[in-house]
Amino acid sequence: MARALSLFWRQPFLALVVRRKPMLCKMSTDSHARKVFAAAVEAVQPNSVVRQSIERNGDSVIIDGHKFTLKRNLHLVGFGKAVLGMAAEAERLLGDHLVKGIVSVPHGIQQTLQQHGKDHLLLKENCGIKVMEGAKHNLPDADAQKAAEEIKHLASELTEKDILLVLISGGGSALLPAPIPPISLQEKLDVTRRLAAAGATIQELNTVRRALSDLKGGGLVHYAHPAQVVALILSDVVGDPLDLIASGPTVQSEVGPGEVLSVLERYKLLNSLPASVNDVLGRISQRTKGNKNEMDESEHVLNVVIGSNSIALECAGHRARELGFQPVVLSPRVCGDVRSVSRLYSLLARFACSREEPSAEIAAEILSLGPEVGVESRDLSQTMEFLDKGRTERWDATCLLAGGEPTVELTGKGLGGRNQELALRVGLEMSGLELPPNGPVFLSGGTDGQDGPTEAAGAITDAGLLMEAQAQGLDINSFLANNDSYTFFSHLSAGQHLLVPGLTCTNVMDLHMLLIPSVPTDKSQPTHQVCP
C-alpha cells in the first residue's frame, strides 16, 4: 500500500478523532445523505453569507478586515440569480446609509420567491433599491441590457466620497449585458450561443464575453472610479477565479486579442463573425492601453468571495460529524467528463470498502484519473491514506465529500443533468459491492436545486442499482445513451432515488458525497446495525 501512495501523511480537511459507533441502516444512510446535502445548501444561502461578511459598528462597516466609513454615501448594484436575497440582507444591515441601488435579477424571481414562502429574500417596498428583472431562460435580453445601462449610469455619477457595494452571484453575466458599440446585443448573443453549442467551457465563454463587453472585465470599476468599490461574491465557478465569476466586472482584465481569437478559432467561428465583432476585437489592445487610471482604479477595489463550494463542503462536513460520520474533503475542484468522474468515485468506493488491503492497481488507477477530473495527486493520495487508515483501524462510517462541476457529452435527447447522470453511472459501476447498510451510498446534487431541465437537483444511488433496475425492467445503458437519467430515476422505485430539495435560492456548483460504512477486516466478526 505504501508503494502506491505518497509517503507523507497530512490529515485531510475535517478529519476527526476516531470514535467507534454502530453502523447505520440503509434507510438512515439515505436520509443522512440528504441531511448533509441540505446543510451544505443552507450554509451558502444569499442572506446568511452577506450577514456573516458584514460587521456593522455604528457609522462604520468592516468587510474582510477593511473598515469603511458610512456617511449616507452608500450605493448598491447587483446582478445574479441569488442577488435579490443578498440585497435584502445588505439593505437590512446598511439601509440607513443607502442612497440608491439597482439590482438585475432573473425574470419572475420575485413572484417565485413569494410563491415558495421566501419573503425574507425579498426587498421591502420603498427601500431605495430598484429591482429590474430580465434574462429569460438565463440568456441576455433587452430587459437585462436596460438594467446594465442603469447600473452603468449609477456608477458613472459616483465621486471619491462614495462607496459602491457590488453584489455578484451566478448568472450575473447574462444579467449584465452591455456590448461594446457597434456590437448589438443580438450579435453578441449569437456569438455566445455558437460557442456554447460548439462545446466551449465556461472559461472560454467568459474570455470572449469580457472582450465584447463594456462592463465586464473590470469595466464596472472603470465607470465607478474614483469611488471605493466593494464586491461581495457568491461563486459558481470551479476554483473561485474572480475574473471569471459573472465575467469579472470588478476585476481588471487584460484580455489580449490573441487569446480571444484562439478561442474563436478553436471552435471554427473566426471566419464567420459579424463585422462589428471584428471591429471591436481589432480595438482590444488600444482599449486596454488607453485606460490610464487602471492602476489607480485597482487600488480602490475590494473583492471578497463570501460563498463558495468550499464553504458548502466545510459545513456539510460539520453536519456529517453530527450524524456520526468521519468527514473528509477530497476537493472542491472536480471537473471533467462525467465518465471519468464516475470511475473515480466507484474506485474510491471499492478502495474504502475492501475487506483486505486494496490492490496497488486500484490506487494507481485512482491517481491516474487525477488530471482528467481536476484533482491533484496530493489530494488523492491523502484521501486514500485517510480511507485506508479508517479501514485498517475499523473507524466508524466515513463521509467523503467533494464538489465542482463535471460535464456531460450529449449524445441523446433525454431529460436529466450532470448530477443525475453521475449518480447513475456511479451506481452502475459500484455493482458487485455490498448493499447498504454494509455497502456505500453515493449522492450527487446541484446546490441550485435544479439539475438540467428537471425538478430534481440530483440523485442517490448504491451498489444495488443495477439489480433494482433489472427487476423493474429498466435498461440502464439505453437511458445513458439517450442522456435520460431523470426519466430513469423517475421510473425506478417511484422516484425514491431522486434528490428534490425545491427552490434553494443559491448556487455554488455541485456537491458529491460518498457514505462509506465501517468495514470489518475480520470476516468472522459480526456487524451490528442500528437505525438511530
Side-chain angles (χ1 to χ4, degrees):
M1 187 65 205
R3 290 192 301 272
L5 304 178
S6 61
L7 296 177
F8 61 85
W9 163 255
R10 181 172 65 86
Q11 191 174 4
F13 185 53
L14 289 178
L16 305 173
V17 177
V18 179
R19 292 190 301 251
R20 188 166 303 177
K21 290 184 178 180
M23 188 176 295
L24 307 175
C25 73
K26 178 175 181 178
M27 183 178 297
S28 67
T29 304
D30 182 282
S31 64
H32 287 348
R34 295 176 187 271
K35 290 176 181 177
V36 173
F37 177 80
V41 171
E42 181 62 29
V44 288
Q45 286 297 294
N47 58 324
S48 63
V49 293
V50 168
R51 181 168 60 251
Q52 293 166 11
S53 65
I54 294 177
E55 181 182 345
R56 177 71 186 271
N57 186 9
D59 289 337
S60 67
V61 61
I62 299 175
I63 299 176
D64 195 38
H66 299 263
K67 185 176 181 180
F68 304 98
T69 301
L70 301 173
K71 294 182 179 179
R72 285 288 299 171
N73 58 343
L74 181 67
H75 303 257
L76 183 150
V77 298
F79 28 90
K81 296 179 180 179
V83 153
L84 197 56
M86 297 171 72
E89 189 65 21
E91 197 280 332
R92 188 185 70 79
L93 295 170
L94 308 172
D96 54 329
H97 285 278
L98 180 66
V99 178
K100 184 179 181 181
I102 301 170
V103 293
S104 178
V105 298
H107 178 80
I109 185 64
Q110 295 178 96
Q111 181 179 359
T112 299
L113 290 173
Q114 288 175 339
Q115 291 174 345
H116 287 80
K118 305 284 187 178
D119 292 346
H120 63 289
L121 299 179
L122 293 168
L123 287 162
K124 298 177 181 178
E125 293 185 10
N126 305 318
C127 72
I129 299 176
K130 182 178 181 179
V131 179
M132 303 184 70
E133 296 187 356
K136 288 183 180 179
H137 310 299
N138 199 31
L139 293 173
D141 56 19
D143 291 332
Q145 185 173 14
K146 183 179 179 181
E149 291 171 353
E150 293 202 21
I151 287 173
K152 174 182 172 180
H153 180 70
L154 183 154
S156 300
E157 293 186 324
L158 301 180
T159 71
E160 68 276 3
K161 297 180 181 180
D162 293 314
I163 300 173
L164 179 63
L165 182 62
V166 183
L167 307 176
I168 304 174
S169 74
S173 187
L175 287 159
L176 196 71
I180 301 172
I183 301 174
S184 69
L185 178 60
Q186 187 59 50
E187 287 174 330
K188 182 183 173 186
L189 181 58
D190 287 343
V191 172
T192 304
R193 278 175 171 167
R194 292 169 64 191
L195 276 173
T201 66
I202 184 63
Q203 291 82 0
E204 291 169 329
L205 285 170
N206 281 336
T207 293
V208 176
R209 281 173 179 157
R210 288 198 306 267
L212 306 181
S213 300
D214 200 21
L215 293 178
K216 293 162 186 173
L220 180 59
V221 170
H222 173 68
Y223 285 106
H225 186 75
Q228 172 66 54
V229 176
V230 180
L232 304 182
I233 303 167
L234 187 61
S235 172
D236 69 334
V237 182
V238 173
D240 308 328
L242 297 177
D243 60 327
L244 294 184
I245 303 169
S247 300
T250 59
V251 181
Q252 293 291 351
S253 175
E254 296 184 10
V255 179
E259 183 180 354
V260 180
L261 294 176
S262 66
V263 173
L264 295 169
E265 184 176 15
R266 188 175 305 130
Y267 295 101
K268 297 178 172 44
L269 300 179
L270 196 56
N271 297 324
S272 58
L273 296 173
S276 59
V277 174
N278 282 321
D279 178 38
V280 168
L281 291 178
R283 293 187 275 119
I284 289 179
S285 297
Q286 289 75 13
R287 179 190 175 210
T288 302
K289 293 177 182 177
N291 187 3
K292 61 182 180 180
N293 293 321
E294 181 176 340
M295 184 66 70
D296 191 29
E297 290 171 4
S298 63
E299 294 176 352
H300 290 78
V301 180
L302 174 64
N303 288 296
V304 186
V305 175
I306 62 174
S308 67
N309 192 268
S310 294
I311 293 173
L313 290 174
E314 180 179 358
C315 292
H318 289 315
R319 184 66 175 124
R321 177 173 61 178
E322 293 173 353
L323 294 170
F325 293 87
Q326 297 272 11
V328 57
V329 174
L330 171 63
S331 172
R333 298 171 179 263
V334 176
C335 57
D337 188 87
V338 69
R339 293 180 178 87
S340 298
V341 177
S342 65
R343 181 62 177 166
L344 172 68
Y345 289 130
S346 65
L347 287 172
L348 286 170
R350 292 183 183 280
F351 181 95
C353 294
S354 176
R355 289 178 177 266
E356 301 175 350
E357 182 175 328
S359 69
E361 287 76 13
I362 290 181
E365 186 176 353
I366 288 173
L367 291 173
S368 71
L369 285 168
E372 297 181 39
V373 299
V375 182
E376 295 183 3
S377 296
R378 178 186 178 93
D379 293 328
L380 289 168
S381 295
Q382 291 171 354
T383 299
M384 284 191 285
E385 289 273 12
F386 181 80
L387 294 175
D388 192 52
K389 192 176 179 68
R391 183 188 65 83
T392 57
E393 297 186 7
R394 298 194 61 221
W395 289 1
D396 305 318
T398 302
C399 177
L400 188 151
L401 294 161
E405 197 167 271
T407 56
V408 174
E409 181 182 354
L410 295 178
T411 57
K413 299 181 180 180
L415 286 176
R418 58 182 178 268
N419 287 286
Q420 292 168 85
E421 182 156 330
L422 176 59
L424 180 51
R425 290 184 179 277
V426 171
L428 181 60
E429 291 206 31
M430 288 197 304
S431 297
L433 293 177
E434 293 190 62
L435 305 184
N438 298 321
V441 168
F442 178 78
L443 176 150
S444 182
T447 57
D448 62 353
Q450 186 175 3
D451 186 45
T454 74
E455 64 176 356
I460 304 175
T461 58
D462 56 55
L465 183 71
L466 178 59
M467 291 188 298
E468 189 176 350
Q470 290 175 337
Q472 297 176 37
L474 300 174
D475 182 0
I476 291 180
N477 289 322
S478 65
F479 283 99
L480 285 173
N482 195 35
N483 298 119
D484 206 13
S485 53
Y486 176 74
T487 303
F488 170 81
F489 280 118
S490 296
H491 292 334
L492 184 71
S493 301
Q496 292 181 9
H497 290 267
L498 285 171
L499 179 65
V500 188
L503 185 68
T504 66
C505 306
T506 190
N507 181 19
V508 293
M509 300 179 294
D510 305 334
L511 179 78
H512 306 152
M513 185 190 321
L514 189 61
L515 298 184
I516 303 164
S518 175
V519 180
T521 54
D522 182 359
K523 296 182 180 180
S524 64
Q525 202 166 9
T527 299
H528 300 285
Q529 304 171 9
V530 298
C531 286

